[in-house]
Amino acid sequence: YIAPSKRIDIVLRAVALLQEDSPELYYLLVGEPVDHHDLLPVIQELGLEQKVHITGFVDSATFEACLRAIDIGVNLRTGPSGGEMSAGVVQLLAAGRPTVVSDVDGFSELPADCVIKIKQDEFEVDRLTTALRRLIDNPGVRVAYGVAAQRYARGELSFSRAAEQYLAFIQACLSRRNDW
């Protein structure tokens, strides 16, 4: 879903700043806007009607096709959250896409070599613009982040790794229970 908590307005402002120097830049928003979250006025105010597309709801096959089609992922969030990890971020990393995230909650724990973290403050748009410009202008940097992202996802975010961690936790709980 596309919701205010995903800070799309920040991304749109960065895209507006980048559009002159990056004429091929195109921002794809994958998902359905939540009720009353109309981005069209901001898109129009920033002159981005030809640079932004909102897909609406997509099935998993279409989402996977979108992941393959993009060069850079952006997944910002407001904090605090419940500490959960975004499925979208996991999918971006697993697909080997260089990804920019908000430096909040669980995103802060991601390694700096596989995501670019943006602090939320009055300079957020500028930081995001700088990060995106660096990724746009430097294919080698995009590749390096993408390779590190995919390596991290395979090693730390896989189902088998999660199962190992659950098993270790359960075993630790059971061993402590026996100590009672």
Side-chain angles (χ1 to χ4, degrees), residues 65-117:
C66 291
L67 278 176
R68 287 190 303 276
I70 65 168
D71 295 315
I72 300 166
V74 179
N75 196 304
L76 304 184
R77 288 288 197 279
T78 55
S81 73
E84 70 279 358
M85 179 55 65
S86 162
V89 168
V90 172
Q91 291 168 307
L92 285 164
L93 300 179
R97 296 300 176 254
T99 302
V100 182
V101 298
S102 296
D103 193 3
V104 298
D105 301 328
F107 292 172
S108 296
E109 298 173 16
L110 294 170
D113 68 333
C114 75
V115 295
I116 297 173
K117 301 174 208 174

Side-chain angles (χ1 to χ4, degrees), residues 19-38:
Q19 71 177 336
E20 188 175 319
D21 293 337
S22 303
E24 294 180 10
L25 178 64
Y26 190 78
Y27 183 40
L28 180 64
L29 277 158
V30 180
E32 182 73 31
V34 296
D35 293 339
H36 310 295
H37 187 55
D38 185 9

Side-chain angles (χ1 to χ4, degrees), residues 7-8 10 14 17 33 36 40-41 52 54 57 59-60 66 68 73 97-98 103 118-119 122 130 134-136 138 173:
R7 307 180 70 74
I8 303 301
I10 299 295
L17 291 170
H36 310 295
L40 190 55
V52 176
I54 301 172
F57 176 80
D59 60 25
S60 58
C66 291
R68 287 190 303 276
R97 296 300 176 254
D103 193 3
I118 304 296
K119 184 177 177 182
E122 66 272 15
T130 299
R134 180 173 173 228
L135 291 169
I136 290 167
N138 299 287
C173 290

Side-chain angles (χ1 to χ4, degrees), residues 152-168:
Y152 178 76
R154 287 183 178 159
E156 297 299 322
L157 303 176
S158 68
F159 288 120
S160 61
R161 178 72 175 132
E164 290 169 5
Q165 290 173 326
Y166 274 115
L167 180 60

